[in-house]
Amino acid sequence: MKLDQIETPAALIDIARMQKNIARMQGHMNTLGVAFRPHVKTTKCIDVVRAQIAAGARGITVSTLKEAEAFFAAGVRDILYAVSMAPSKLPRAFALRRQGCDLKLVVDNPNAAAAIAAFGDQHGETFEVWIEVDTDGHRSGITPEQDTLLEVGRILHENGVKVGGVMTHAGSSYELDTPDALAALAEQERAGCVRAAQRLRETGIACPAVSVGSTPTALAATQLEGVTEVRAGVYVLFDLVMHNVGVCALDDIALSVLATVIGHQADKGWAILDAGWMAMSRDRGTSKQSHDFGYGQPCLLNGTPLLGYVISGANQEHGILSPTGETAHAEEDITQRFPIGMKLRILPNHACATGAQFPDYHAVAPDGDSVEWRRFQGW
Amino acid sequence: MKLDQIETPAALIDIARMQKNIARMQGHMNTLGVAFRPHVKTTKCIDVVRAQIAAGARGITVSTLKEAEAFFAAGVRDILYAVSMAPSKLPRAFALRRQGCDLKLVVDNPNAAAAIAAFGDQHGETFEVWIEVDTDGHRSGITPEQDTLLEVGRILHENGVKVGGVMTHAGSSYELDTPDALAALAEQERAGCVRAAQRLRETGIACPAVSVGSTPTALAATQLEGVTEVRAGVYVLFDLVMHNVGVCALDDIALSVLATVIGHQADKGWAILDAGWMAMSRDRGTSKQSHDFGYGQPCLLNGTPLLGYVISGANQEHGILSPTGETAHAEEDITQRFPIGMKLRILPNHACATGAQFPDYHAVAPDGDSVEWRRFQGW
């Protein structure tokens, strides 16, 4: 199907850009001598993950057990469920392991560790657990020097659970925007996670895996001594937030939303599109960054960014395209430049959030032809 | 299924609250002597819409053709597609009408009007179109005094398209928070839409329907002379934005997200939940209102709001529950008050956005038992 035949709004993946992003990240990991485990929460799409694995990824990271189930059914065996385990979810994790899935769980507290140990003991299952380490204070995890780290390790190790490794995610990298700051955080992430593994090993726990990552720190890292693998998700598509962080160019962004002009408010300089927040998502991640892209950056159908215009507002199924800055556009400009029926592509703030609004992507080949790639929703 | 058996995160609808909200709106419309046409974009759920129709709703409003197709398949015939028509979508609208759906389209510009007329002429179909009127400057539509209104009416009328009515949506009501301001906007919405119908009628176009509405103006309206029907969507569930606007109490909010405590950062006073923005949506609609609820208001499992706590941050699958205000909570407070595995219900900022994150609702009866109600995604 050609672009002008696709009903709007639609989520487009530019295959050539996606493959370039995959090759860039995998190449960087190869150079650094670490394995790469992509986070598939960004796309929840088997076609994308197959491309990541074909390029050299080893295993995947998931954010939900539904992802684990869907990707295991599609043939991926090595899966890290990277959200601290809720004891009530253990039966689903157990079922996956019994089917042969090499599912690794994550904990960052003694209670969940004890619950996993007790469940494993009760059901005769040796779970593998990685301990979550907090290296930047942005969310979950145990800091490397906390005694809780060793307590959790001990609870697992002494109760028949395999401590497979430590993992951390320096998500505060999204708030940075200079190469030096990103490189410093990458080193902080590496050093903290390696230190946590070292402390566990000193108590007699093998802790083979040392897993770090976020898209910005993964791309900024220059050496990863002691690290065995890196995780990253959004790099596969990139978005305007990552552009502001400084790790991709506008023309690296592989996800866009195809939209149609359906109206104008000429006196305000507005063109109204049929892509509102239901299509773009409510993510306003660029609002606190150096360049606020509103609800997205409009581009021509061929991908050329329409600099000087932005999606300035959104209702559920209406997006407002308007000029940025002080320059007033004449009435005829907006209606003539963006006539009724014109199709545009909008680069999103956050690829993970925008993708989630759609049941499928249209994957666009360099010749302009496209195929549908399913993605899934829910938990 | 009982609440404590439902896997988290999950979207819960409190059936008793929903029925109360439906009865309140329908009762108000009955008192005002107008028909009520609920906007089903809020829930996209056939079970909810059946309850609205059972209470007296006449026809529905949709925001996508997919909604029109799904609800027509479920037996609803009278459907207003309330987004200005993109000419490229006419084949789908035509297919629905040929199947017997009484689908009404909306336009606010001469080009789309001409496209509908041309398509109808080519295919021997008499489309029905309602003209969108702008009564508050917040988005789309033609203001009542603009000549374009009559031009669009003429293009339709002279080319074999039925001008079924005028419709307006005073969406700027979401920015208000006093009864007087809401009542004034309701009157502005009514008067503007009635005026537009009057102008069209003066040119010989019958324009039978005069349709207005948004949840706040619908509830605030005290007289609707000249109006034939009202549309509203979010009233059926309500949310924190509507609470801040002043049209519902916290205990009217029928949608909540069931979540589990999965961790803590005790020194920061945080409990970490397994409901992040993928569950709550990225909607931060209360951020500019009188009370900022972050990503939502946590409640106990029985629905009691935990005043003094808020969902202060969210990553994709992590929500951060933290105390509001200056009061520091002792370390033991957060881990003891919100132990690992504890379940909470979170009231959302925006029911339309939060619901869209889920493939189904769990509809909870007063006895605590629940059933699944499907909702659909996409366009």
Side-chain angles (χ1 to χ4, degrees):
Chain A
M1 196 185 279
K2 294 289 178 184
L3 275 191
D4 56 6
Q5 299 170 304
I6 297 173
E7 284 202 49
T8 57
L12 308 181
I13 289 180
D14 182 310
I15 297 175
R17 290 184 182 188
M18 180 193 84
Q19 291 289 13
K20 182 183 164 201
N21 298 338
I22 290 172
R24 176 184 167 200
M25 179 66 83
Q26 188 65 53
H28 187 51
M29 294 301 112
N30 294 348
T31 301
L32 293 173
V34 293
F36 182 59
R37 181 190 292 278
H39 205 318
V40 302
K41 75 181 178 71
T42 299
T43 64
K44 303 196 185 195
C45 173
I46 285 154
D47 304 273
V48 173
V49 174
R50 285 203 181 112
Q52 291 169 304
I53 290 171
R58 283 190 249 158
I60 61 170
T61 315
V62 300
S63 69
T64 63
L65 287 175
K66 181 158 183 176
E67 290 162 60
E69 290 160 354
F71 287 104
F72 177 64
V76 182
R77 207 177 147 267
D78 178 359
I79 300 177
L80 174 68
Y81 171 42
V83 177
S84 191
M85 192 66 193
S88 59
K89 292 173 181 156
L90 281 165
R92 269 175 89 181
F94 176 56
L96 271 167
R97 287 189 62 90
R98 278 293 155 102
Q99 290 165 56
C101 179
D102 181 16
L103 180 70
K104 300 138 169 75
L105 307 180
V106 164
V107 297
D108 74 348
N109 64 83
N111 288 333
I116 294 170
F119 188 99
D121 186 52
Q122 195 185 339
H123 293 86
E125 174 67 32
T126 304
F127 283 108
E128 176 172 345
V129 170
W130 294 17
I131 301 175
E132 184 170 5
V133 179
D134 178 9
T135 52
D136 70 346
H138 88 286
R139 187 173 75 194
S140 303
I142 310 167
T143 56
E145 303 299 339
Q146 262 181 291
D147 290 342
T148 314
L149 176 73
L150 304 185
E151 184 190 351
V152 169
R154 185 186 55 73
I155 292 168
L156 295 168
H157 186 64
E158 292 180 359
N159 290 285
V161 180
K162 178 181 175 188
V163 180
V166 287
M167 58 83 71
T168 194
H169 165 60
S172 65
S173 59
Y174 283 43
E175 294 155 25
L176 307 178
D177 60 4
T178 66
D180 286 352
L182 289 171
L185 185 59
E187 173 55 20
Q188 177 181 322
E189 184 184 42
R190 182 203 69 79
C193 205
V194 169
R195 170 67 181 149
Q198 181 192 13
R199 291 192 69 210
L200 285 164
R201 288 170 188 153
E202 283 166 3
T203 71
I205 295 171
C207 192
V210 179
S211 176
V212 304
S214 73
T215 287
T217 52
L219 292 169
T222 54
Q223 68 90 8
L224 288 174
E225 193 184 337
V227 167
T228 62
E229 65 165 40
V230 170
R231 309 179 322 283
V234 75
Y235 80 96
V236 69
L237 299 178
F238 282 127
D239 52 32
L240 295 167
V241 165
M242 287 297 110
H243 175 63
N244 276 338
V245 170
V247 295
C248 72
L250 277 185
D251 63 8
D252 291 326
I253 300 175
L255 180 67
S256 60
V257 172
L258 187 69
T260 302
V261 176
I262 59 168
H264 302 94
Q265 294 290 14
D267 56 333
K268 296 174 179 144
W270 293 356
I272 310 285
L273 310 182
D274 67 351
W277 61 252
M278 186 62 83
M280 299 308 302
S281 91
R282 271 293 196 196
D283 199 296
R284 288 283 289 105
T286 59
S287 64
K288 292 176 204 154
Q289 294 186 305
S290 56
H291 187 120
D292 184 350
F293 285 95
Y295 282 92
Q297 170 63 54
C299 304
L300 294 176
L301 208 52
N302 68 9
T304 306
L306 290 160
L307 302 177
Y309 293 91
V310 72
I311 308 302
S312 57
N315 292 141
Q316 187 159 339
E317 298 292 348
H318 296 79
I320 297 175
L321 181 154
S322 64
T324 56
E326 317 293 299
T327 321
H329 292 241
E331 278 202 19
E332 59 190 351
D333 181 60
I334 204 84
T335 59
Q336 291 187 7
R337 178 145 193 195
F338 301 102
I340 299 289
M342 181 182 185
K343 289 191 175 176
L344 298 167
R345 293 169 76 160
I346 310 165
L347 302 177
N349 285 320
H350 189 175
C352 308
T354 301
Q357 303 298 108
F358 292 84
D360 44 44
Y361 299 106
H362 292 264
V364 184
D367 66 0
D369 218 2
S370 72
V371 292
E372 284 189 38
W373 286 355
R374 296 294 298 172
R375 56 165 291 145
F376 55 88
Q377 188 196 27
W379 289 263
Chain B
M1 197 184 282
K2 295 290 179 184
L3 274 192
D4 56 7
Q5 300 170 303
I6 297 173
E7 284 202 49
T8 57
L12 308 181
I13 290 180
D14 181 311
I15 297 175
R17 290 183 182 187
M18 180 193 84
Q19 291 289 11
K20 182 184 165 200
N21 297 338
I22 290 172
R24 176 184 168 200
M25 180 66 83
Q26 187 66 52
H28 187 51
M29 294 301 113
N30 294 348
T31 302
L32 292 173
V34 293
F36 181 59
R37 180 189 293 278
H39 205 317
V40 302
K41 75 181 178 69
T42 299
T43 65
K44 303 197 184 192
C45 173
I46 285 154
D47 304 273
V48 174
V49 173
R50 285 203 180 111
Q52 292 168 305
I53 290 172
R58 283 190 248 159
I60 62 171
T61 314
V62 300
S63 69
T64 63
L65 287 175
K66 179 157 185 177
E67 289 162 61
E69 289 159 355
F71 287 104
F72 177 64
V76 183
R77 204 173 150 271
D78 178 358
I79 300 176
L80 174 67
Y81 171 43
V83 177
S84 190
M85 192 65 193
S88 59
K89 292 175 180 153
L90 280 165
R92 270 175 89 180
F94 175 57
L96 272 167
R97 286 189 62 90
R98 279 293 155 100
Q99 290 166 57
C101 180
D102 181 16
L103 180 71
K104 300 138 168 77
L105 306 180
V106 163
V107 297
D108 74 349
N109 63 83
N111 287 333
I116 294 170
F119 187 99
D121 185 53
Q122 193 185 340
H123 294 85
E125 174 67 32
T126 304
F127 283 107
E128 176 172 345
V129 170
W130 295 17
I131 301 175
E132 184 169 7
V133 179
D134 178 9
T135 52
D136 69 347
H138 88 287
R139 187 171 75 195
S140 303
I142 310 167
T143 57
E145 304 299 339
Q146 264 180 290
D147 289 342
T148 313
L149 176 74
L150 304 185
E151 183 189 353
V152 169
R154 184 186 55 73
I155 291 169
L156 295 168
H157 187 63
E158 292 182 358
N159 291 285
V161 180
K162 177 182 175 189
V163 180
V166 287
M167 57 84 72
T168 192
H169 165 60
S172 64
S173 59
Y174 283 44
E175 295 154 25
L176 307 177
D177 60 4
T178 67
D180 286 354
L182 288 170
L185 185 59
E187 173 55 20
Q188 177 181 320
E189 184 183 42
R190 181 203 70 80
C193 204
V194 169
R195 170 66 182 149
Q198 181 191 14
R199 289 192 70 209
L200 285 163
R201 288 169 187 155
E202 284 166 3
T203 70
I205 296 172
C207 192
V210 179
S211 177
V212 304
S214 71
T215 286
T217 52
L219 292 168
T222 55
Q223 68 90 9
L224 289 174
E225 193 182 338
V227 167
T228 62
E229 67 165 40
V230 170
R231 308 179 324 281
V234 76
Y235 80 95
V236 69
L237 299 178
F238 282 129
D239 52 30
L240 295 167
V241 165
M242 287 297 109
H243 175 64
N244 276 337
V245 170
V247 295
C248 72
L250 276 186
D251 64 8
D252 291 326
I253 300 175
L255 180 67
S256 60
V257 172
L258 187 68
T260 302
V261 177
I262 59 169
H264 303 94
Q265 294 290 13
D267 56 331
K268 295 174 179 146
W270 293 355
I272 311 286
L273 311 182
D274 67 351
W277 60 252
M278 185 62 82
M280 300 307 304
S281 91
R282 271 294 197 196
D283 199 296
R284 289 282 290 104
T286 60
S287 64
K288 292 177 204 153
Q289 293 186 305
S290 56
H291 187 118
D292 184 349
F293 285 95
Y295 281 92
Q297 170 64 54
C299 304
L300 294 176
L301 208 52
N302 68 9
T304 307
L306 290 160
L307 302 177
Y309 294 91
V310 73
I311 308 303
S312 57
N315 292 141
Q316 188 158 338
E317 298 293 346
H318 296 78
I320 297 175
L321 180 153
S322 65
T324 55
E326 316 293 301
T327 321
H329 291 241
E331 278 202 20
E332 59 190 351
D333 182 60
I334 204 84
T335 59
Q336 291 186 7
R337 180 145 192 194
F338 301 103
I340 298 289
M342 181 183 185
K343 290 190 175 176
L344 298 167
R345 292 169 76 160
I346 310 166
L347 303 177
N349 286 321
H350 189 176
C352 308
T354 301
Q357 303 298 108
F358 292 85
D360 43 46
Y361 299 106
H362 292 262
V364 184
D367 66 1
D369 218 2
S370 72
V371 292
E372 284 189 38
W373 286 355
R374 297 292 300 171
R375 57 165 291 146
F376 55 87
Q377 189 196 25
W379 289 265

